[in-house]
Amino acid sequence: MQLLASLLQAVKPSPTLVITKIAADMRRRGLDVVSLSQGEPDFSTPDHINAAAKLAIDNGMTRYTDVDGTPELKDAITRKFWRDNGLSYEPSEISVGTGGKQVIFNALLATINPGDEVIIPAPYWVSYPDMVRLAGGTPVEVLCGESQGFKITAAQLHEAITPRTKWVILNSPSNPTGAGYDKAELEKLGKVLLDHPHVYVMTDDMYEHIRYDGWPFTTIASVVPALRDRTLTVNGVSKAYAMTGWRIGFAGGPREIISAMGTIQSQSTSNPSSVSQAAALAALEGPMDFLTPRNEAFRERRDMCLDVFNAIEGLNCRRPEGAFYLFPSCEGLIGRKAPDGTVMGSDVDVSRFFLEHAHVATVPGSAFGGPGHFRISFATSNERLAEACKRIRAACSQLN
Ligand code: PLP
């Protein structure tokens, strides 16, 4: 009898593992590796949020709560959706989980039957396809290259929909590309979806508040109200409020799906941490002015890296609307030779080269379904970023 579940065989080994392992070995050998692979802000959780958590502990809010969120937090989330997105939800249409990740996984587990298809525009956040596979479904990746702004077009969506399509997943601004859909683009996608009433939309708006140059964020259920009843709008506090470790994510959507997500959560993790829920409530109800200087710092770092990368022969990078990632193309480096004679055959080789020769850790694009690219996170200090850029430039100049 085999030990491990057959379902696990569906999960692809991550192409990042080899890079992570080499980086760890290098650090153990005392080498100074600049890591640009981490997907979290380098800022701290704002003080008023920490204070609310401490108060929650002192007030004894340390027990089980309702499985999918306290009534107070759900109320705050309905106010958030109304205030920021013009979306009106009842508390019974809200689910709170242990991070956006659990919320998305719950939704897929709650809805996917064997053979159901989920359309995933690529490049995508690494977890979507494997979550779909673990839920017994089939991910349908649609390649959306840089020439189309890394965004799925209405024609591509139309083409990808079959009678087995259960969901299409949108993520704007995107991890890994930072690309954001504008209102007109969402309207066009909405038009296609209105012709296919069996398809549900999951929109992952995790990076809603991290955006640049006045780019106006919008989300599909508010742009196309007719889709509201088959849209799951996922969001959370991890990125905007620098609360990655607190593990609170949430979603608004159809009551039937929300209720089923609660059933799954009730038999897996139960409620997300009571203290974290109190902190998330303070985040959603509190001041947001701390975001302006943080986004300004992110924008400066984005622009510094863009200037450096776009000046390197063989690299080319689109300017992202939001999130804190760059996804440069390294197609122009493929086929070039490193000083040790290694020929760059793929984005994995390029990331490996940056690691071994520049001591900079990046993530190869193939991890995100976007081969020929690599991802950096610019959520790290200006000094470390400048150092990383300098090292990458020097390493690229050694390729011939
Ligand atoms: N969605 C996207 C696009 C992300 O990048 C991440 C985290 O990296 C998540 C969801 C998960 O967020 P959380 O940390 O709240 O689980």
Side-chain angles (χ1 to χ4, degrees), residues 39-41 43 172-174 178-180 205-213 215 217 235 237-242 288 290-291 294-299 302 320-325 378-379:
E40 66 179 342
F43 298 118
S172 166
S174 144
D205 298 350
M206 205 51 90
Y207 294 91
E208 166 179 17
H209 292 298
I210 301 176
R211 53 184 199 242
Y212 312 111
D213 312 321
W215 177 73
F217 170 87
N235 212 315
V237 293
S238 299
K239 310 292 174 170
Y241 300 93
M288 293 185 72
F290 67 91
L291 270 173
R294 289 184 179 193
N295 280 350
E296 184 51 23
F298 281 145
R299 188 199 57 74
R302 176 198 68 169
E321 285 84 12
F324 37 68
Y325 307 103
F378 51 82

Side-chain angles (χ1 to χ4, degrees), residues 39-40 97-104 124-128 131 170-176 204-207 234-239 243-245 247-250 323-325 375:
E40 66 179 342
T98 302
K101 197 173 222 170
Q102 187 185 28
V103 171
I104 295 169
Y124 46 71
W125 179 46
V126 283
S127 296
Y128 302 138
M131 284 185 181
L170 299 177
N171 172 215
S172 166
S174 144
N175 175 5
D204 178 345
D205 298 350
M206 205 51 90
Y207 294 91
V234 180
N235 212 315
V237 293
S238 299
K239 310 292 174 170
M243 292 176 68
T244 44
R247 311 306 304 130
I248 296 290
F250 51 83
F324 37 68
Y325 307 103
R375 188 195 76 173

Side-chain angles (χ1 to χ4, degrees), residues 106-331:
N106 282 344
L108 295 170
L109 281 179
T111 53
I112 287 182
N113 288 308
D116 284 355
E117 296 172 358
V118 178
I119 298 173
I120 304 175
Y124 46 71
W125 179 46
V126 283
S127 296
Y128 302 138
D130 284 336
M131 284 185 181
V132 170
R133 289 187 195 98
L134 284 171
T138 306
V140 176
E141 296 177 14
V142 177
L143 187 61
C144 308
E146 188 170 345
S147 61
Q148 57 191 82
F150 295 123
K151 293 177 268 192
I152 191 168
T153 63
Q156 283 179 308
L157 178 60
H158 174 78
E159 185 81 354
I161 292 175
T162 75
R164 298 309 308 262
T165 307
K166 177 62 72 65
W167 292 98
V168 53
I169 302 184
L170 299 177
N171 172 215
S172 166
S174 144
N175 175 5
T177 65
Y181 289 83
D182 65 25
K183 188 163 174 277
E185 289 162 340
L186 291 177
E187 273 166 356
K188 283 186 197 148
L189 298 179
K191 220 163 153 226
V192 174
L193 291 163
L194 289 175
D195 289 338
H196 300 279
H198 67 290
V199 180
Y200 281 71
V201 192
M202 188 183 302
T203 172
D204 178 345
D205 298 350
M206 205 51 90
Y207 294 91
E208 166 179 17
H209 292 298
I210 301 176
R211 53 184 199 242
Y212 312 111
D213 312 321
W215 177 73
F217 170 87
T218 186
T219 191
I220 192 152
S222 43
V223 174
V224 190
L227 287 176
R228 180 205 177 277
D229 291 341
R230 50 187 169 108
T231 299
L232 189 76
T233 305
V234 180
N235 212 315
V237 293
S238 299
K239 310 292 174 170
Y241 300 93
M243 292 176 68
T244 44
W246 299 80
R247 311 306 304 130
I248 296 290
F250 51 83
R255 207 167 273 127
E256 196 181 351
I257 297 180
I258 292 290
S259 162
M261 289 163 65
T263 304
I264 288 179
Q265 192 158 296
S266 74
Q267 300 301 8
S268 52
T269 57
S270 291
N271 63 274
S273 150
S274 56
V275 176
S276 295
Q277 290 190 71
L281 189 139
L284 295 178
E285 301 274 270
M288 293 185 72
D289 47 354
F290 67 91
L291 270 173
T292 310
R294 289 184 179 193
N295 280 350
E296 184 51 23
F298 281 145
R299 188 199 57 74
E300 271 176 27
R301 297 170 187 180
R302 176 198 68 169
D303 291 348
M304 177 187 78
C305 296
L306 275 172
D307 285 350
V308 172
F309 290 159
N310 281 328
I312 294 174
E313 200 210 321
L315 297 186
N316 165 51
C317 188
R318 177 186 182 273
R319 183 177 298 265
E321 285 84 12
F324 37 68
Y325 307 103
L326 291 182
F327 199 63
S329 161
C330 54
E331 294 277 7

Side-chain angles (χ1 to χ4, degrees), residues 20 22-35 37 361:
T20 315
I22 300 172
D25 285 348
M26 288 170 70
R27 282 203 191 89
R28 259 194 300 277
R29 289 187 352 244
L31 293 171
D32 169 35
V33 176
V34 185
S35 176
S37 54

